[in-house]
Amino acid sequence: MAKWGEGDPRWIVEERADATNVNNWHWSEKNATPWSLNRLRELLSGFSAEDGPIVITIDEVKKIDGEATANNRKAKLIFLFEWVIEGTFVARVSGSEEEYKGKFDIPNLSDENEASEVDLNTSLDGSGPLAHQIRQVLNKSFVSKIQDVLGVYIRELKEEFSKGLILPTDQVKPQVVTKGKTTTATVDKRQFQNTVIAEKEASTSGNEVFTTKEVSVGDTFKATPERVFEAITETQLVRGWTNGSIQEWNFKEGGTFSLFGGNVTGTFEKIEPNKEIVKKWRLKKYPNNHHATIHFTLKDNGSGTDIKITAKDVPTHLADETQSGLDRYYLTSIARTFGFSQRI
């Protein structure tokens, strides 16, 4: 306690270098969204990847949706960002006048993933004598080089927005910039967000409380249940409709799986060939240790297969994202890859 008439030095701010944020203790934030929108568009527009005689060039970046912030919490820098990017590309082959066009999307450029873990989904319009070679380049060189470009964005974001976010103190401490994933050494993203909310409300946060609900998607495939079952279970076929983003696939009851850069993980609970698969399944952003239960059911309708995916115990605040993802990255991708559905 300070002596009478002296004042406690912990509360004297007018003579401190960092008077606006004593010892960088409080939460402060910079909006990195406008800069990110411009930088991502600069990096991707006109980008070309060359592999032998094949050159693939991004023709147009049609959509960049998301946000980015740089935050200072207790003299540590935390970068939070999440982006969905869509666009078109043109592929050309040396010695040929034919052009191949297609689309790409990046669904998970976020602080939860390293650049090398970011997914890039591509689809090539039409077919031709060189389509197979182009797809091979898309799935390997093009993906790898786009991930390198996204790595540049992540690095520059941290360099640009670490400037001045941690203010000088009487006893200068080095700035701490998180390397790679925000969720590792420095701070957990969800814990950080909860802590900020708790401090703003002057209350302490306990275990996360959330509600759950059931979502489902379905389609009719132009294939037998046996063929559909193969497509959703055999490793090489799963590799096809996940665009090669399969990290683990141990297809047996009790076996584990990891897809889409580790964003989807779980365990096979029940397998009934050609009829039903039950999984414990989770998105990376689900609350800690929480799994949904997903039922894949196949029903022979005489001319094809009715496939339905039902997800139970889905966190309500992530229900729409889960439903959309099951439709887009499972049903639509399977149908597109194997030509199963009329809607593709």
Side-chain angles (χ1 to χ4, degrees):
M1 178 177 293
K3 294 180 180 179
W4 182 267
E6 290 184 354
D8 190 329
R10 292 173 299 175
W11 301 103
I12 298 175
V13 298
E14 63 271 15
E15 296 180 357
R16 296 179 62 93
D18 62 335
T20 57
N21 190 1
V22 179
N23 287 325
N24 294 290
W25 184 261
H26 300 295
W27 174 61
S28 58
E29 177 180 289
K30 281 186 179 180
N31 181 9
T33 298
W35 178 90
S36 294
L37 286 168
N38 290 332
R39 190 61 182 132
L40 285 168
R41 194 170 292 278
E42 287 174 357
L43 288 168
L44 293 172
S45 296
F47 171 82
S48 291
E50 185 174 345
D51 191 331
I54 298 174
V55 179
I56 300 172
T57 303
I58 291 181
D59 184 43
E60 182 180 2
V61 179
K62 291 182 172 289
K63 170 184 173 182
I64 305 179
D65 282 350
E67 62 182 352
T69 59
N71 305 273
N72 168 20
R73 166 66 178 155
K74 296 183 181 179
K76 296 176 182 178
L77 295 182
I78 303 100
F79 295 88
L80 306 178
F81 57 92
E82 188 166 4
W83 297 100
V84 175
I85 304 171
E86 296 177 0
T88 59
F89 63 83
V90 177
R92 299 178 178 88
V93 182
S94 178
S96 172
E97 296 182 357
E98 190 172 1
E99 286 187 349
Y100 293 77
K101 296 185 177 182
K103 301 183 179 83
F104 73 89
D105 72 86
I106 301 168
N108 63 335
L109 174 57
S110 78
D111 55 274
E112 295 182 347
N113 298 305
E114 303 281 2
S116 60
E117 296 175 328
V118 174
D119 292 326
L120 176 68
N121 303 314
T122 60
S123 61
L124 194 63
D125 299 337
S127 60
L130 301 172
H132 178 68
Q133 292 174 260
I134 292 171
R135 286 193 178 92
Q136 287 183 319
V137 174
L138 283 170
N139 292 335
K140 294 182 180 178
S141 301
F142 187 65
V143 169
S144 175
K145 290 176 181 178
I146 289 291
Q147 288 174 334
D148 290 342
V149 168
L150 299 178
V152 171
Y153 160 72
I154 294 171
R155 174 176 55 79
E156 291 184 355
L157 171 69
K158 294 180 178 182
E159 291 174 352
E160 180 72 19
F161 285 87
S162 63
K163 299 172 185 175
L165 191 59
I166 293 184
L167 301 173
T169 64
D170 291 338
Q171 295 180 341
V172 178
K173 295 180 180 180
Q175 293 188 1
V176 179
V177 179
T178 57
K179 301 292 184 181
K181 296 183 182 178
T182 306
T183 53
T184 56
T186 302
V187 67
D188 175 78
K189 178 181 178 182
R190 183 172 296 280
Q191 182 183 6
F192 165 74
Q193 291 170 327
N194 287 343
T195 301
V196 168
I197 293 170
E199 288 186 350
K200 284 184 174 180
E201 296 177 349
S203 63
T204 57
S205 60
N207 294 329
E208 186 174 5
V209 177
F210 58 94
T211 58
T212 62
K213 65 182 296 186
E214 178 178 312
V215 299
S216 64
V217 294
D219 197 359
T220 297
F221 285 172
K222 298 181 297 181
T224 64
E226 291 78 11
R227 178 71 181 111
V228 175
F229 188 81
E230 287 178 354
I232 64 177
T233 62
E234 292 192 4
T235 303
Q236 291 305 316
L237 300 182
V238 173
R239 194 179 303 279
W241 57 262
T242 60
N243 203 23
S245 189
I246 174 172
Q247 287 66 53
E248 182 180 8
W249 191 259
N250 186 14
F251 184 66
K252 64 180 182 179
E253 291 187 357
T256 54
F257 61 88
S258 176
L259 302 173
F260 307 114
N263 281 293
V264 171
T265 56
T267 306
F268 296 104
E269 297 290 300
K270 175 185 175 184
I271 298 172
E272 190 173 354
N274 309 323
K275 291 184 179 181
E276 184 180 34
I277 302 170
V278 180
K279 306 176 181 181
K280 288 294 184 183
W281 184 98
R282 66 175 270 111
L283 283 178
K284 195 172 186 178
K285 59 174 63 177
Y286 278 6
N288 288 340
N289 302 317
H290 181 78
H291 288 73
T293 300
I294 290 193
H295 294 251
F296 284 72
T297 55
L298 309 178
K299 184 178 180 181
D300 192 336
N301 63 20
S303 59
T305 301
D306 294 327
I307 179 170
K308 185 176 182 181
I309 306 175
T310 303
K312 300 178 180 180
D313 298 324
V314 176
T316 302
H317 64 290
L318 293 169
D320 289 344
E321 182 175 343
T322 299
Q323 186 175 40
S324 174
L326 290 172
D327 183 68
R328 180 178 182 181
Y329 298 110
Y330 281 81
L331 291 184
T332 301
S333 185
I334 292 167
R336 180 188 293 122
T337 302
F338 302 108
F340 283 166
S341 181
Q342 292 282 5
R343 65 173 177 157
I344 303 304

